Amino acid sequence: MANSIKKAWYKEMAVYQVWPRSFCDGNGDGIGDLKGILSKLDYIKSLGVDAIWFSPLYVSPQKDYGYDIADYRNIAPEYGTMEDFKAVLDGAHKRGLRVIMDLVVNHTSDQHPWFLESKKGKDNPYSDYYIWRKGRMNNKLPPNDWRSTFAGPGWQYVPERDEYYLHLFATEQPDLNMDNPKVRAEVKDIMKFWLDMGVDGFREDVITFISKREGLPDGFPLPVAAGVEHYIDGPHLHEYLMEFKDVWGKYDCVTIGEAPMMTPKRALKHISEGDEQELNMMFHFQHMEADCMFVSWIKMPFNLKKLKTVYTNWQKQLYGKAWNALYIENHDQPRVVNRYGSLKYRKESAKMLAVMYICQSGTPFIYQGQEIGMTNIGLKDINQYEDVSTKNIYHMARSFGVKDETVMKLAAYASRDNARTPVQWSDEKNAGFTSADKPWFPINPNYTEINVKEAQEDPDSILNFYRKLLKFRKENEIVIYGDYTEYYHERDDLYCYGRTYEGKRMLVICSFSEKNITFTAPPAYDLSFGKCMICNYDDPTAVAGGCVLRPYETRVYLFE
Ligand code: GLC
Ligand code: CA
C-alpha cells in the first residue's frame, strides 16, 4: 500500500561513488587523492546528489586497490592525510553532502598488524583473529576445496604456524574470523571511530560473507568461488549484523551491505524494516547478470527479459517492506554502455539507462564517469592490467589452454579495470586527471570527445541529463515512493513500467532498440493527458494511444 510506505532521508538521497585512485590527482604524482576530491566537491554537488560513497581511502598495500586494509584508522599516504580527509568531510557537509565510508571487514590486508601477529603462532593474542586450519593429507593439501572469488585456491599455507589461512579473495586478503567476539568488538570500534568523526554511514564490503558454516565443509566444485554456498548467507550473519547495529543504530546514518548472490526472498530476512533490520539496504548483483552468467567473464548475449524479471522481482517484493539500492555501475563492473547500451548510440543509450534505473523505487548510486557516459578501455595486453582478479582469471584460463587472444578479448569486455580508468575531466593532457607525465593507469583515448568539460558546455549532454533527472526525482515523490507495475514483459526491445503514488501516476518508457519501434500505451495511460517530463530526444510527440520510439529513446510521463 502506497500510503504505508515509511519516509526516510536515506530513501530520498542519491549517492555518487568515488573510487579515489582514479578520480582526480591533486598533487601531480599521477594518483588520484583527497586534494583532488576536495577540488571537485562543487562538481559532485552540481549533479544533484546528496551523498558521496568513498571506496577505501585507508592505509593499504593496494593489492586489491584499498580493499586490503592495513590500518582502519588512517588514510593511505598516497591519498593524503587525516587532515585532508577531514577537510573533505567538512567540505562535503558544508555543501549538504553526506559521506559514506567503505567498511571492509570480511578480510584485512596480510600486512595488517593483526595478521602479522596472528601468523607468528598459536599463542599470541591475535592467533584466532583469522581462520587457520591444518591441511588434509598430512597437511599437504588445503583444509577443504574452497576456491578464491578471484580464482586460485582459497587457502594459503604459512610455515611459521604450519597451518593454512582462508582467503576468499586475493592471497593478500586473509578472512577475519568473525566468530571470535574480539574481532567483532574491533569492527564495532572501527565503526564508532568513523561515526564519531562525523561520517554518515557505511557501504559494507561483501558483508554477507562474514559468517562461514561450521566445520567449513567442501563446496560444490567450481573453478572459482567453490564453497560459496557455505558463506553467502552464513549461520550467524543475522546475529553479527545485529551486533554491529548496536553501534550504528545510535547514529543518524545509513548502511548499505554488498551482497553477492542475494535474492529478494533472502534479502527480506535481513533488510525488512523493523527492529530486526540489519542494514538499510543491500547491493545485490542479479541485474548485472543480464549479459552473463554470474560474472561478466561468462559472457552471454544481452537479455532484456532477464533484466526486467530481476528488476520487477526486487521492486515488487521489497515494496513497502524494505528498500532497494539501485546501481548500474561501480568499480567492479565494466561500463554499462558497453554492456546494456550501444556504442553507436552512446549518448541516447546512456541517458535511457539512467532513466531505466533511477526512476525505480530505491536509492540510486552513480559511479564516477557514468554521468558522462565513459566506456570500456579494452586494453589488449595482460601486462597493462592492474586488477588482481583480471590477472588471476587470465592465468587460470591460460592454464586451461585458452588462447591469449581469446582471454584478452574477454578481458576487454569483462575486466573490472574498465571501470577504473581515470575520470576524463577535459580534452587537455591526461584528460585533466593529473599534471604528472604519466597517470597511474592508462586513460581511455576517447577522452578528447568524452569529458566533463565538454559535457558541462553541452546542454544536451549525458551529464546535464543526469542533473535534470535527479532534480525531477527530488521534486516528485512518486519517483521515490511510488509502487511499480511492469508492462509488456514479453517484448525484448522495450522496458516499460508504471508507478503510482497518492493519486498520481507515472509511466517510464525505455527502448532498447537501435531501430524505430512502435509503442502502444498501456490501457490505463492516455498519453494525451500525460506530461512528458523527461526525454532523451527533442520533440517527443505522441497521440493518446502511443508513439514511435527512436533508437534508445526514453520518456517519462507524469499524470497528475
Ligand atoms: C567487493 C569489492 C571489490 C573487492 C572485493 C574484496 O566485492 O567491491 O572491489 O575486490 O569486495 O574486498
Ligand atoms: Ca596524487
Side-chain angles (χ1 to χ4, degrees), residues 285-307:
F285 284 59
Q286 292 189 318
H287 65 298
M288 300 315 302
E289 295 164 16
D291 63 346
C292 61
M293 259 173 68
F294 302 117
V295 286
S296 47
W297 289 88
I298 312 178
K299 195 174 171 332
M300 312 273 282
F302 173 66
N303 183 336
L304 179 59
K305 275 198 250 174
K306 193 173 168 195
L307 182 69

mmCIF file of all heavy atoms in Angstrom, residues 285-307:
data_model
loop_
_atom_site.group_PDB
_atom_site.id
_atom_site.type_symbol
_atom_site.label_atom_id
_atom_site.label_comp_id
_atom_site.label_asym_id
_atom_site.label_seq_id
_atom_site.Cartn_x
_atom_site.Cartn_y
_atom_site.Cartn_z
ATOM 1 N N PHE A 285 23.365 -8.418 -6.965
ATOM 2 C CA PHE A 285 24.084 -8.462 -8.252
ATOM 3 C C PHE A 285 23.218 -8.951 -9.408
ATOM 4 O O PHE A 285 23.668 -8.983 -10.543
ATOM 5 C CB PHE A 285 25.296 -9.412 -8.138
ATOM 6 C CG PHE A 285 26.458 -8.830 -7.382
ATOM 7 C CD1 PHE A 285 26.313 -8.418 -6.070
ATOM 8 C CD2 PHE A 285 27.699 -8.701 -7.980
ATOM 9 C CE1 PHE A 285 27.377 -7.888 -5.357
ATOM 10 C CE2 PHE A 285 28.778 -8.172 -7.290
ATOM 11 C CZ PHE A 285 28.623 -7.763 -5.979
ATOM 12 N N GLN A 286 21.997 -9.373 -9.118
ATOM 13 C CA GLN A 286 21.229 -10.094 -10.141
ATOM 14 C C GLN A 286 21.001 -9.302 -11.432
ATOM 15 O O GLN A 286 20.996 -9.870 -12.511
ATOM 16 C CB GLN A 286 19.888 -10.538 -9.552
ATOM 17 C CG GLN A 286 20.055 -11.601 -8.476
ATOM 18 C CD GLN A 286 18.722 -12.190 -8.050
ATOM 19 O OE1 GLN A 286 17.736 -11.463 -7.882
ATOM 20 N NE2 GLN A 286 18.690 -13.487 -7.872
ATOM 21 N N HIS A 287 20.822 -7.989 -11.288
ATOM 22 C CA HIS A 287 20.561 -7.196 -12.501
ATOM 23 C C HIS A 287 21.842 -6.939 -13.298
ATOM 24 O O HIS A 287 21.790 -6.375 -14.378
ATOM 25 C CB HIS A 287 19.912 -5.866 -12.118
ATOM 26 C CG HIS A 287 20.816 -4.999 -11.316
ATOM 27 N ND1 HIS A 287 21.289 -5.376 -10.073
ATOM 28 C CD2 HIS A 287 21.391 -3.812 -11.589
ATOM 29 C CE1 HIS A 287 22.099 -4.432 -9.629
ATOM 30 N NE2 HIS A 287 22.180 -3.479 -10.513
ATOM 31 N N MET A 288 22.997 -7.316 -12.746
ATOM 32 C CA MET A 288 24.238 -7.189 -13.511
ATOM 33 C C MET A 288 24.558 -8.498 -14.240
ATOM 34 O O MET A 288 25.659 -8.690 -14.736
ATOM 35 C CB MET A 288 25.414 -6.783 -12.599
ATOM 36 C CG MET A 288 25.272 -5.462 -11.870
ATOM 37 S SD MET A 288 24.664 -4.012 -12.806
ATOM 38 C CE MET A 288 25.844 -3.849 -14.127
ATOM 39 N N GLU A 289 23.576 -9.377 -14.307
ATOM 40 C CA GLU A 289 23.796 -10.668 -14.959
ATOM 41 C C GLU A 289 22.931 -10.831 -16.208
ATOM 42 O O GLU A 289 22.673 -11.945 -16.644
ATOM 43 C CB GLU A 289 23.498 -11.801 -13.959
ATOM 44 C CG GLU A 289 24.465 -11.803 -12.791
ATOM 45 C CD GLU A 289 23.983 -12.654 -11.607
ATOM 46 O OE1 GLU A 289 23.074 -13.480 -11.792
ATOM 47 O OE2 GLU A 289 24.527 -12.456 -10.505
ATOM 48 N N ALA A 290 22.508 -9.706 -16.794
ATOM 49 C CA ALA A 290 21.649 -9.794 -17.977
ATOM 50 C C ALA A 290 22.449 -10.081 -19.244
ATOM 51 O O ALA A 290 21.883 -10.369 -20.292
ATOM 52 C CB ALA A 290 20.842 -8.510 -18.142
ATOM 53 N N ASP A 291 23.785 -9.986 -19.148
ATOM 54 C CA ASP A 291 24.618 -10.291 -20.314
ATOM 55 C C ASP A 291 25.693 -11.322 -19.964
ATOM 56 O O ASP A 291 26.738 -11.391 -20.606
ATOM 57 C CB ASP A 291 25.285 -9.022 -20.848
ATOM 58 C CG ASP A 291 26.223 -8.405 -19.824
ATOM 59 O OD1 ASP A 291 26.154 -8.787 -18.637
ATOM 60 O OD2 ASP A 291 27.045 -7.548 -20.207
ATOM 61 N N CYS A 292 25.447 -12.048 -18.883
ATOM 62 C CA CYS A 292 26.478 -13.005 -18.462
ATOM 63 C C CYS A 292 25.858 -14.012 -17.493
ATOM 64 O O CYS A 292 24.695 -13.882 -17.115
ATOM 65 C CB CYS A 292 27.620 -12.273 -17.757
ATOM 66 S SG CYS A 292 27.110 -11.392 -16.271
ATOM 67 N N MET A 293 26.688 -15.003 -17.108
ATOM 68 C CA MET A 293 26.248 -15.921 -16.060
ATOM 69 C C MET A 293 27.055 -15.629 -14.812
ATOM 70 O O MET A 293 28.262 -15.870 -14.779
ATOM 71 C CB MET A 293 26.463 -17.368 -16.500
ATOM 72 C CG MET A 293 25.184 -18.020 -16.983
ATOM 73 S SD MET A 293 25.516 -19.626 -17.658
ATOM 74 C CE MET A 293 26.003 -20.490 -16.172
ATOM 75 N N PHE A 294 26.430 -15.074 -13.794
ATOM 76 C CA PHE A 294 27.057 -14.715 -12.512
ATOM 77 C C PHE A 294 28.104 -13.597 -12.605
ATOM 78 O O PHE A 294 28.047 -12.642 -11.872
ATOM 79 C CB PHE A 294 27.666 -15.929 -11.794
ATOM 80 C CG PHE A 294 26.654 -16.994 -11.520
ATOM 81 C CD1 PHE A 294 26.768 -18.247 -12.094
ATOM 82 C CD2 PHE A 294 25.563 -16.739 -10.690
ATOM 83 C CE1 PHE A 294 25.811 -19.226 -11.851
ATOM 84 C CE2 PHE A 294 24.614 -17.710 -10.443
ATOM 85 C CZ PHE A 294 24.738 -18.953 -11.018
ATOM 86 N N VAL A 295 29.092 -13.758 -13.481
ATOM 87 C CA VAL A 295 30.142 -12.746 -13.595
ATOM 88 C C VAL A 295 30.322 -12.361 -15.064
ATOM 89 O O VAL A 295 30.077 -13.171 -15.950
ATOM 90 C CB VAL A 295 31.496 -13.256 -13.045
ATOM 91 C CG1 VAL A 295 31.470 -13.305 -11.534
ATOM 92 C CG2 VAL A 295 31.844 -14.618 -13.619
ATOM 93 N N SER A 296 30.768 -11.132 -15.269
ATOM 94 C CA SER A 296 30.846 -10.627 -16.641
ATOM 95 C C SER A 296 31.784 -11.460 -17.532
ATOM 96 O O SER A 296 31.704 -11.392 -18.751
ATOM 97 C CB SER A 296 31.266 -9.158 -16.641
ATOM 98 O OG SER A 296 32.366 -8.965 -15.794
ATOM 99 N N TRP A 297 32.638 -12.270 -16.896
ATOM 100 C CA TRP A 297 33.564 -13.110 -17.670
ATOM 101 C C TRP A 297 32.845 -14.232 -18.417
ATOM 102 O O TRP A 297 33.332 -14.704 -19.434
ATOM 103 C CB TRP A 297 34.628 -13.719 -16.753
ATOM 104 C CG TRP A 297 35.603 -12.697 -16.280
ATOM 105 C CD1 TRP A 297 35.485 -11.902 -15.166
ATOM 106 C CD2 TRP A 297 36.835 -12.317 -16.896
ATOM 107 N NE1 TRP A 297 36.566 -11.074 -15.066
ATOM 108 C CE2 TRP A 297 37.422 -11.305 -16.103
ATOM 109 C CE3 TRP A 297 37.512 -12.745 -18.050
ATOM 110 C CZ2 TRP A 297 38.635 -10.712 -16.431
ATOM 111 C CZ3 TRP A 297 38.732 -12.162 -18.360
ATOM 112 C CH2 TRP A 297 39.276 -11.149 -17.554
ATOM 113 N N ILE A 298 31.726 -14.710 -17.870
ATOM 114 C CA ILE A 298 30.985 -15.764 -18.584
ATOM 115 C C ILE A 298 29.912 -15.056 -19.401
ATOM 116 O O ILE A 298 28.767 -14.909 -19.004
ATOM 117 C CB ILE A 298 30.389 -16.801 -17.607
ATOM 118 C CG1 ILE A 298 31.455 -17.243 -16.598
ATOM 119 C CG2 ILE A 298 29.825 -17.990 -18.379
ATOM 120 C CD1 ILE A 298 30.969 -18.231 -15.555
ATOM 121 N N LYS A 299 30.354 -14.599 -20.559
ATOM 122 C CA LYS A 299 29.557 -13.689 -21.363
ATOM 123 C C LYS A 299 28.420 -14.408 -22.084
ATOM 124 O O LYS A 299 28.592 -15.504 -22.591
ATOM 125 C CB LYS A 299 30.491 -13.046 -22.388
ATOM 126 C CG LYS A 299 29.932 -11.826 -23.069
ATOM 127 C CD LYS A 299 31.012 -11.204 -23.934
ATOM 128 C CE LYS A 299 30.522 -10.102 -24.845
ATOM 129 N NZ LYS A 299 29.169 -10.125 -25.297
ATOM 130 N N MET A 300 27.273 -13.744 -22.125
ATOM 131 C CA MET A 300 26.103 -14.244 -22.859
ATOM 132 C C MET A 300 25.539 -13.053 -23.631
ATOM 133 O O MET A 300 25.811 -11.912 -23.275
ATOM 134 C CB MET A 300 25.020 -14.728 -21.889
ATOM 135 C CG MET A 300 25.507 -15.639 -20.774
ATOM 136 S SD MET A 300 25.507 -17.327 -21.295
ATOM 137 C CE MET A 300 23.774 -17.683 -21.144
ATOM 138 N N PRO A 301 24.697 -13.335 -24.629
ATOM 139 C CA PRO A 301 24.069 -12.188 -25.299
ATOM 140 C C PRO A 301 23.175 -11.422 -24.307
ATOM 141 O O PRO A 301 22.580 -12.036 -23.417
ATOM 142 C CB PRO A 301 23.214 -12.839 -26.388
ATOM 143 C CG PRO A 301 23.625 -14.269 -26.450
ATOM 144 C CD PRO A 301 24.298 -14.624 -25.167
ATOM 145 N N PHE A 302 23.119 -10.112 -24.453
ATOM 146 C CA PHE A 302 22.283 -9.304 -23.564
ATOM 147 C C PHE A 302 20.827 -9.757 -23.676
ATOM 148 O O PHE A 302 20.287 -9.913 -24.766
ATOM 149 C CB PHE A 302 22.404 -7.819 -23.929
ATOM 150 C CG PHE A 302 21.442 -6.954 -23.173
ATOM 151 C CD1 PHE A 302 21.564 -6.815 -21.793
ATOM 152 C CD2 PHE A 302 20.400 -6.297 -23.820
ATOM 153 C CE1 PHE A 302 20.672 -6.024 -21.075
ATOM 154 C CE2 PHE A 302 19.502 -5.504 -23.118
ATOM 155 C CZ PHE A 302 19.641 -5.369 -21.741
ATOM 156 N N ASN A 303 20.209 -9.952 -22.514
ATOM 157 C CA ASN A 303 18.858 -10.486 -22.468
ATOM 158 C C ASN A 303 17.968 -9.537 -21.664
ATOM 159 O O ASN A 303 17.994 -9.535 -20.432
ATOM 160 C CB ASN A 303 18.929 -11.878 -21.818
ATOM 161 C CG ASN A 303 17.588 -12.567 -21.771
ATOM 162 O OD1 ASN A 303 16.535 -11.923 -21.789
ATOM 163 N ND2 ASN A 303 17.615 -13.886 -21.702
ATOM 164 N N LEU A 304 17.233 -8.712 -22.386
ATOM 165 C CA LEU A 304 16.422 -7.683 -21.720
ATOM 166 C C LEU A 304 15.360 -8.293 -20.806
ATOM 167 O O LEU A 304 15.076 -7.771 -19.730
ATOM 168 C CB LEU A 304 15.768 -6.758 -22.755
ATOM 169 C CG LEU A 304 14.879 -5.651 -22.184
ATOM 170 C CD1 LEU A 304 15.631 -4.736 -21.235
ATOM 171 C CD2 LEU A 304 14.236 -4.836 -23.311
ATOM 172 N N LYS A 305 14.788 -9.412 -21.218
ATOM 173 C CA LYS A 305 13.742 -10.032 -20.386
ATOM 174 C C LYS A 305 14.294 -10.489 -19.045
ATOM 175 O O LYS A 305 13.654 -10.364 -18.011
ATOM 176 C CB LYS A 305 13.096 -11.202 -21.131
ATOM 177 C CG LYS A 305 11.968 -10.729 -22.049
ATOM 178 C CD LYS A 305 11.075 -11.871 -22.429
ATOM 179 C CE LYS A 305 11.294 -12.183 -23.886
ATOM 180 N NZ LYS A 305 10.587 -13.356 -24.354
ATOM 181 N N LYS A 306 15.513 -11.004 -19.093
ATOM 182 C CA LYS A 306 16.175 -11.419 -17.851
ATOM 183 C C LYS A 306 16.341 -10.201 -16.933
ATOM 184 O O LYS A 306 16.085 -10.259 -15.725
ATOM 185 C CB LYS A 306 17.534 -12.044 -18.206
ATOM 186 C CG LYS A 306 18.213 -12.791 -17.086
ATOM 187 C CD LYS A 306 19.464 -13.522 -17.609
ATOM 188 C CE LYS A 306 20.323 -14.042 -16.474
ATOM 189 N NZ LYS A 306 21.673 -14.436 -16.896
ATOM 190 N N LEU A 307 16.760 -9.104 -17.513
ATOM 191 C CA LEU A 307 16.961 -7.870 -16.743
ATOM 192 C C LEU A 307 15.644 -7.401 -16.127
ATOM 193 O O LEU A 307 15.566 -7.068 -14.935
ATOM 194 C CB LEU A 307 17.525 -6.781 -17.660
ATOM 195 C CG LEU A 307 17.842 -5.446 -16.991
ATOM 196 C CD1 LEU A 307 19.032 -5.591 -16.049
ATOM 197 C CD2 LEU A 307 18.155 -4.366 -18.037
#
